[in-house]
Amino acid sequence: MDRLACVDLRELPLQILLDRHPEWKGLPVAVVAQDRPQAKILWVSPEARSAGISAGMRYAQGLSLAPKLRAARVSPRDLQEELRELTVLLGSFSPEVEMAEEPGIFWLRGRGLGRLFGSASAWARQIQGALAAKGRKASVVVGFSRFRTYGIARNTDGILVLKTPQEEDALFRAVPLERLSIGPDLRDTLERLGVRSVGDFLRLPRQGIRLRFGQEASDLYEAASGGRYESLMPSIHEEPVGCVVFLEEPLSDALPLLFLVRRHLHSLLLSLARRGDALRELEIRWVMGMGQERTDRIRPAQPNLQESLILDLVRIKLEALPLPCPVEEICLRLHGTPAEPQQLRFFLEISRRDLSAGDRALARLRTELGDEAVVQPRLLEGHLPEACFTWEPLDHLRPPRPRPKAGRGNIIRRIYIKPLCLGMRPRHEPDGWLVKDLRCGPVVRLWGPYVISGGWWRKEVHRSYYFLETLRGDIFWVYYDTPRKKWFLQGRVE
C-alpha cells in the first residue's frame, strides 16, 4: 500500500469555536483575528458564506450582510494544542505524519501498512472514524501525490480512494481555484480572466506566469503541474514526559505520597519547559495491591509551570478522594501545551531555593528546639583548630555564593567538638594501626607531622598533626599530644 493520504479538517478553527459555543450551530459564524468590530474575518461557516460573507472581510462588514452573525477569536495557543492532539491521534495510523502550515491539513504515508489495515479504503475509514470520535469533521483522500491529494481533499466531502495517478490528475484539474489556499488578489485576478479551475490555470503557458501574476502564481503552477517534487516531512515524535516510581513499602497516607510526587515533579516540569511547553494536565496512575489502580488527572485553570500550585491540586485531590488501598507504584505523565515566553523565562531563570520558605522552616525549628538550635559558623583568628571558629545565631538565610572551582573539587574537613582520645599507639602492630574500627581497616598512608605549639603563658600546647588514609579510603585528621603522650582524633576529611 504505497499510498499517501491527505486529511482535511475543513475550517478547523471554526470547529473549535463551535465546540465552545454549540448554541451557534445553524447560525452564520465567523472566526475573527481580534475581538473588535474592525477585526479581519479569517474563517466563515457555510451559513455565513451563503449570506455573502467571505474571509478577508471586516467583522462590521459581515454584520451588515448578516445581522445574526456570531464571531469570536480562537487563540493561537488553543489552535496549536488542537493540532498537537490531532498529530498524536493520526500518529496511531502512520509513523509518518506531516502537519501543513494551513491549519487542519495533514498528510500520512501508508507505505508498509497494508497488512495492518488490509486496504487503503479501510485505512481511510479508520482515520475518519477516529477523527469523528473526537468530534471533528474531516475528508480523507488517498492518492499518490502530495499537492494533488491536498487539492482534491479541499473539494471532497467524505472518503475518496484514487486507484490510478491518471484518475488523480483528472480530479485535481477539476478543483476550483477558490478551494485552494491562495491570496484573494491572485484569485480575483484569475477569475476576471475566466481561470476558475486548476485545469484552466494549467492550460496557461508556463512562460510568463511569474511575470504576469507574480511569485505566488509561479509557485502554485510548479506545485500543480508536478514540476516540483516535495517529499513528506513528518513531525518529530517526542517521548512523553513522565516517570515511574516504585515504592519500597506500600504507602496509604496522602502526605508521604504527596512528597514522593513533589520529589519528581520539578525535574519533569524542567523537561517540559525545555521543550517550550507548560503543563496542561498531570496524569497520575496509582498502582495498588490486588491488581487495583486509579488514574487521577490534574488540570490547572491555565497551563503553567508553578510547582506549588500543581502540588496543591494533587493534595486537594487526595484529600477529596482517598486511595482505597496502599500504593505500590506511582506513574507520572505530564501533558504539555506551548507556553508563553514569559512563563518559560520565569521558570528557567528563577532559583529553586525559596529563602523565605527556608526562614519559615528555621523559625519553626527555633521555636521548638530553642535559639541555640539554629546557628552558623564564623571564622576567628585562633591558633588551635578548635579556636579558629565560633557559632553564632542565624537570623536569615542568604543566597549561596560558591567560589569557582579550580582543578579537583573542594574537600571538607569536619572537626569534632571534642577530640576523641585514641590512647597510646602500640609499639608492635601486626595488623596495622586501627584508628577507628575494623570496617575502616588499618592505616595505609600517612602525611605529616604538622606541628603546632605555644600557650606556654597559660597551658603549654604541643601537637603533631597527621592525615591518615585507611584501607577503605577514609581520611582522618589526628594529632599526637606531646605533654599528655596520647593520640587524639581531631576530625575527618570528606
Side-chain angles (χ1 to χ4, degrees):
M1 191 173 67
D2 192 8
R3 301 288 187 87
L4 193 70
C6 180
V7 178
D8 176 24
L9 291 101
R10 198 74 50 82
E11 282 94 18
L12 179 61
L14 195 64
Q15 295 190 40
I16 299 173
L17 183 61
L18 289 176
D19 284 348
R20 291 188 208 156
H21 302 280
E23 70 277 8
W24 289 359
K25 291 182 179 177
L27 296 174
V29 181
V31 177
V32 293
Q34 298 171 322
D35 291 327
R36 60 188 184 90
Q38 294 302 319
K40 188 178 179 181
I41 293 177
L42 302 177
W43 287 275
V44 296
S45 66
E47 293 82 3
R49 197 176 295 113
S50 301
I53 303 171
S54 61
M57 287 185 174
R58 301 293 174 182
Y59 173 62
Q61 290 178 277
L63 204 58
S64 65
L65 295 173
K68 292 185 178 180
L69 177 65
R70 301 290 186 272
R73 177 175 175 266
V74 175
S75 69
R77 170 184 282 183
D78 293 342
L79 183 58
Q80 287 298 321
E81 183 178 334
E82 178 72 17
L83 291 172
R84 180 175 295 195
E85 291 180 359
L86 289 170
T87 304
V88 174
L89 175 65
L90 294 175
S92 58
F93 297 97
S94 173
E96 296 181 61
V97 179
E98 179 185 349
M99 181 174 63
E101 293 182 2
E102 185 177 348
I105 300 293
F106 295 88
W107 286 281
L108 290 79
R109 190 181 296 282
R111 182 184 301 164
L113 302 178
R115 290 188 177 181
L116 190 59
F117 295 99
S119 65
S121 301
W123 184 42
R125 281 197 300 272
Q126 292 192 33
I127 294 173
Q128 193 189 42
L131 292 172
K134 187 178 168 55
R136 293 289 170 257
K137 183 180 178 183
S139 59
V140 182
V141 173
V142 180
F144 304 88
S145 167
R146 190 167 177 270
F147 190 77
R148 294 184 179 186
T149 53
Y150 155 73
I152 296 170
R154 295 289 294 167
N155 195 38
T156 301
D157 289 328
I159 297 174
L160 181 61
V161 179
L162 304 170
K163 297 179 180 177
T164 62
Q166 292 75 19
E167 181 186 3
E168 180 186 82
D169 184 67
L171 288 176
F172 178 61
R173 287 176 178 271
V175 174
L177 285 176
E178 64 179 7
R179 295 288 189 178
L180 304 181
S181 178
I182 60 176
D185 294 339
L186 176 61
R187 182 190 60 201
D188 295 342
T189 301
L190 293 174
E191 189 172 357
R192 284 196 294 271
L193 296 173
V195 179
R196 294 185 174 83
S197 67
V198 175
D200 297 338
F201 183 61
L202 291 178
R203 279 193 286 274
L204 296 175
R206 181 189 297 267
Q207 299 79 9
I209 290 287
R210 177 183 296 176
L211 184 63
R212 293 179 62 189
F213 303 108
Q215 184 62 41
E216 183 185 3
S218 176
D219 293 341
L220 176 64
Y221 196 95
E222 290 293 325
S225 63
R228 183 174 57 194
Y229 174 74
E230 295 181 350
S231 61
L232 204 65
M233 293 182 290
S235 304
I236 300 174
H237 176 73
E238 292 184 337
E239 291 293 328
V241 177
C243 69
V244 180
V245 183
F246 297 98
L247 278 64
E248 295 182 359
E249 295 183 359
L251 293 175
S252 56
D253 293 339
L255 189 60
L257 292 174
L258 189 64
F259 271 93
L260 282 174
V261 173
R262 179 186 180 186
R263 184 183 300 172
H264 298 85
L265 185 60
H266 184 80
S267 59
L268 295 176
L269 287 174
L270 187 61
S271 302
L272 203 64
R274 285 172 178 162
R275 291 186 179 185
D277 290 348
L279 179 71
R280 174 175 53 84
E281 179 183 285
L282 171 61
E283 179 182 326
I284 309 177
R285 186 161 60 91
W286 311 97
V287 180
M288 295 165 272
M290 306 296 291
Q292 297 186 62
E293 63 177 49
R294 191 181 89 185
T295 300
D296 291 336
R297 301 182 184 279
I298 309 298
R299 298 187 183 91
Q302 295 289 334
N304 64 72
L305 294 164
Q306 297 182 37
E307 182 181 342
S308 58
L309 175 63
I310 298 164
L311 285 173
D312 195 42
L313 295 177
V314 176
R315 179 187 61 79
I316 293 172
K317 189 76 171 182
L318 289 176
E319 291 178 354
L321 294 173
L323 295 165
C325 298
V327 176
E328 299 177 350
E329 182 181 326
I330 304 173
C331 304
L332 301 173
R333 175 168 287 192
L334 279 65
H335 302 278
T337 188
E340 300 291 342
Q342 295 85 350
Q343 286 181 305
L344 296 176
R345 188 165 58 250
F346 180 77
F347 181 80
L348 295 174
E349 293 180 359
I350 193 171
S351 171
R352 193 186 175 191
R353 295 185 177 182
D354 187 347
L355 298 183
S356 59
D359 284 341
R360 291 195 296 271
L362 293 180
R364 297 181 64 175
L365 287 174
R366 204 177 291 116
T367 304
E368 183 176 354
L369 304 175
D371 294 340
E372 296 78 11
V374 182
V375 294
Q376 62 179 350
R378 183 168 61 86
L379 297 180
L380 298 175
E381 291 291 338
H383 185 62
L384 299 176
E386 58 267 30
C388 294
F389 67 95
T390 186
W391 296 100
E392 62 181 17
L394 174 63
D395 297 327
H396 299 286
L397 291 175
R398 297 178 182 81
R401 291 179 296 179
R403 296 176 181 175
K405 295 181 180 178
R408 59 180 298 184
N410 296 329
I411 56 177
I412 301 172
R413 184 163 50 181
R414 299 191 183 278
I415 302 177
Y416 295 148
I417 297 175
K418 184 177 180 181
L420 303 177
C421 182
L422 301 176
M424 292 297 296
R425 183 179 176 186
R427 291 186 177 182
H428 303 289
E429 299 170 323
D431 297 327
W433 187 13
L434 296 174
V435 177
K436 188 72 174 174
D437 50 38
L438 292 175
R439 290 176 299 178
C440 297
V443 175
V444 294
R445 296 179 68 185
L446 181 145
W447 295 270
Y450 307 99
V451 178
I452 296 177
S453 62
W456 54 267
W457 58 92
R458 190 178 61 180
K459 182 180 179 182
E460 184 181 2
V461 174
H462 189 282
R463 299 176 181 175
S464 300
Y465 277 90
Y466 296 85
F467 290 100
L468 310 177
E469 182 179 358
T470 65
L471 184 62
R472 196 176 66 174
D474 304 275
I475 299 179
F476 295 106
W477 190 30
V478 303
Y479 68 87
Y480 179 72
D481 193 323
T482 304
R484 299 164 69 179
K485 295 182 171 49
K486 291 182 180 178
W487 287 87
F488 290 86
L489 178 61
Q490 182 76 71
R492 59 187 304 161
V493 179
E494 297 177 355

